[in-house]
Amino acid sequence: GIGFGLQKLAANYVSGFVILAERSMRIGDMVRVDNFEGRITDIKARYTVIRALSGRESIVPNEMLITQRVENLSLADPKVAQTTQVAVAYSSPVDEVVALIEAACRAQPRVLSDPAPAACLANFGADGLEFTVTYWIADPENGPLRLKSDINRAILSALQTRGLEIPYPQRVVHTASTR
């Protein structure tokens, strides 16, 4: 019984040594394990501590990191892409909108210049032209939501300053007359 109980413990220690020797995961890497995503904050012989961007921590047995699929989001490159969307009225000048959106992203100090932010006309929506912008950051641990909010606010301000309309849903209702 004791041998059976120690089998998992030994597997976790061996897995910990494999992780440390191979360096497939390092402290600071962003990983996704079993639908839990976060930054590795500590690697012990028996377990690894992963801290989500929300501050929640998960203690993951090292055997799990060896036997299950683990996505290392920063193994090859610590940069992370983020996107945001904006819609404008159909009468808006597309090239100007693209320039305003990209400039709003470039103005944020956390947004990387290489690769540069890129905005594109993504869809012809029911209520307006829909643009998607992709920008890259190197520090997702500082929180992506605040940066996205700052970029959205900068885009909104730039569009409002230029007098470009952000459309709201409109519907036309026809009534049939009865005679």
Side-chain angles (χ1 to χ4, degrees):
I2 292 174
F4 185 71
L6 291 176
Q7 185 177 12
K8 282 285 189 196
L9 185 63
N12 283 316
Y13 276 109
V14 170
S15 298
F17 293 126
V18 169
I19 290 169
L20 292 170
E22 287 181 346
R23 302 202 33 90
S24 58
M25 286 176 267
R26 297 179 293 271
I27 292 174
D29 283 354
M30 286 292 293
V31 296
R32 183 178 299 126
V33 181
D34 196 29
N35 290 326
F36 186 83
E37 184 175 320
R39 184 166 299 284
I40 295 176
T41 58
D42 200 5
I43 301 174
K44 301 285 189 193
R46 199 172 50 79
Y47 61 87
T48 296
V49 179
I50 302 172
R51 182 180 175 90
L53 296 177
S54 66
R56 200 176 77 198
E57 288 187 330
S58 179
I59 297 172
V60 181
N62 286 333
E63 180 187 24
M64 184 180 220
L65 299 175
I66 296 293
T67 60
Q68 291 188 7
R69 179 175 175 237
V70 176
E71 292 180 61
N72 190 331
L73 307 173
S74 58
L75 180 63
D77 192 348
K79 294 181 260 186
V80 176
Q82 288 189 281
T83 63
T84 194
Q85 294 80 31
V86 65
V88 297
Y90 272 104
S91 60
S92 302
V94 173
D95 292 337
E96 183 179 349
V97 172
V98 167
L100 289 171
I101 293 171
E102 289 176 351
C105 291
R106 282 193 304 274
Q108 300 300 317
R110 289 181 53 202
V111 173
L112 299 175
S113 58
D114 184 29
C120 62
L121 176 58
N123 289 305
F124 297 102
D127 303 308
L129 301 171
E130 297 175 358
F131 292 83
T132 299
V133 61
T134 302
Y135 53 92
W136 293 81
I137 61 173
D139 61 347
E141 69 276 4
N142 291 330
L145 188 57
R146 179 63 177 197
L147 175 62
K148 187 172 189 173
S149 174
D150 291 344
I151 287 172
N152 284 340
R153 292 172 57 190
I155 290 170
L156 179 61
S157 176
L159 294 175
Q160 288 174 337
T161 299
R162 295 290 298 142
L164 298 173
E165 180 187 347
I166 295 179
Y168 55 90
Q170 300 178 36
R171 300 296 173 253
V172 177
V173 178
H174 296 276
T175 58
S177 62
T178 57
R179 294 185 184 175

